[in-house]
Amino acid sequence: MKDYKVTCSEPISIGAIDNRGYMITSYIEGRDAEEEIPKYSNQEQYSIGVEAAKELKKMHQYPAPGNKSSWYSRKVKKHKNYMEAYLKCGIKVKNDQKIINFIEENIHLMKDRPNLFQHDDFTLGNIIVKNKEFAGVIDFGRYDWGDPIHEFLKIGIFSREVSIPFSIGQIRGYFNNKDPDENFWRLYSLYLAMCVFSTVIWTLKAIPDSLNDMLDKVDMFLDDHDYFDKLKPKWYICRLDFS
C-alpha cells in the first residue's frame, strides 16, 4: 500500500512469536472518524468521504496474484455455503425469498469482474481524521482480493448510519465527483443482498449476543432499498447537494 502511495501506517515489522502473528506499524496522529465525524458540518463530512475514496482507488490498483482464483468462483462458493447454513439455522429474515430471487437474477453480474486488492473493512472505524480532515486509513488485517465495488457494501451496513454526507462523498469521490451508473448500483445491491445471509451466519458463530443488533442493521439497509425494489438507497436519492 505504501508503494501505491496510500495514506496509511508505515509498515515496520511483521512476523510470528509462538505461532501468533504480529505486525508493527507507525502511528497515525488523529482520532477515530466514527467518533469524530458526527461533530463536523455536512460539508466537512462529505469532503472526508471524497478524500477517503481517493485512497480506496489507489488500493484498487493492486492486482490479485496470478494464482488467485476468480472473484466469481470464490464469491459464489461462499454464498452457497452461507445459504445452506441460513436455511438450517432457524433465523428467518423478512421477505427472504424475495431477497434470494434478487440474488439469483443478478449473480451472473459478478462474472468477469476485476480481481483486485480489497481493504475489506473500509469503514469510518478504520479511518483517522485530524483537524476535520482525512488523516489516513488503518487496519488492513482483513484484506482480500476481488471486485472493488464489494468494498462499498460496508457503507450500507455501517457508514451511512454514522454519516450520510461521508457515505455520499465516498461514492461520488470514487467516481470523480459524479453519480455512478446503474451497473454500480446493481452490483452494490447484489452484494448487500448476499450480505443478509452471511451476516446472520457470521453473527451466530462469532458474536451471537449481538444478533439482534446486527439484524437491526440488516433491517435498516433492506428498508433503504425496499427489499431491492430500489437499487439506489433512499438516503442517496434524497441527498442534499454537499458538493
Side-chain angles (χ1 to χ4, degrees), residues 219-234:
D219 288 339
M220 175 187 68
F221 70 71
L222 288 173
D223 180 68
D224 284 341
H225 291 265
D226 284 345
Y227 291 83
F228 301 107
D229 284 337
K230 293 184 174 71
L231 297 180
K232 291 182 184 179
K234 296 172 184 176

Side-chain angles (χ1 to χ4, degrees), residues 26 39 54 56 64 79 93 106 113 120 125 134 138 145 160 162 179 209 221 224:
S26 63
K39 304 173 187 177
K54 293 177 182 177
L56 198 56
H79 176 65
V93 174
N106 290 280
R113 289 298 299 163
D120 211 32
F134 178 89
I138 61 172
W145 309 96
R160 61 76 80 221
V162 179
D179 292 325
D209 291 343
F221 70 71
D224 284 341

Side-chain angles (χ1 to χ4, degrees), residues 94-110:
K94 181 182 175 182
N95 290 335
D96 59 354
Q97 190 57 53
K98 183 176 183 179
I99 301 165
I100 292 168
N101 291 345
F102 177 80
I103 294 169
E104 291 177 349
E105 290 165 4
N106 290 280
I107 200 166
H108 68 279
L109 297 173
M110 294 194 304

Side-chain angles (χ1 to χ4, degrees), residues 68-90:
K68 200 71 178 175
S69 58
S70 74
W71 165 248
Y72 177 79
S73 63
R74 285 181 289 119
K75 187 65 175 174
V76 167
K77 182 178 180 180
K78 284 183 181 179
H79 176 65
K80 287 180 177 178
N81 290 338
Y82 279 126
M83 283 306 308
E84 289 175 6
Y86 169 77
L87 295 172
K88 296 175 183 176
C89 77

Side-chain angles (χ1 to χ4, degrees), residues 29-48:
E29 290 192 13
R31 294 183 178 273
D32 182 330
E34 188 172 17
E35 297 176 3
E36 289 295 304
I37 205 167
K39 304 173 187 177
Y40 302 166
S41 71
N42 285 343
Q43 180 60 56
E44 289 163 345
Q45 294 178 48
Y46 178 89
S47 296
I48 291 169

Side-chain angles (χ1 to χ4, degrees), residues 33 37 40-57 122-124 127-129 132-135 152 155 159 163-177 242:
I37 205 167
Y40 302 166
S41 71
N42 285 343
Q43 180 60 56
E44 289 163 345
Q45 294 178 48
Y46 178 89
S47 296
I48 291 169
V50 171
E51 292 304 310
K54 293 177 182 177
E55 301 306 308
L56 198 56
K57 286 190 80 169
F122 199 79
T123 65
L124 281 162
I127 290 172
I128 305 298
V129 292
K132 298 185 177 182
E133 294 182 348
F134 178 89
F152 289 87
I155 289 179
S159 297
S163 171
I164 287 175
F166 169 88
S167 301
I168 294 169
Q170 183 184 324
I171 292 171
R172 298 192 82 240
Y174 194 89
F175 293 95
N176 300 316
N177 294 315
F242 304 115

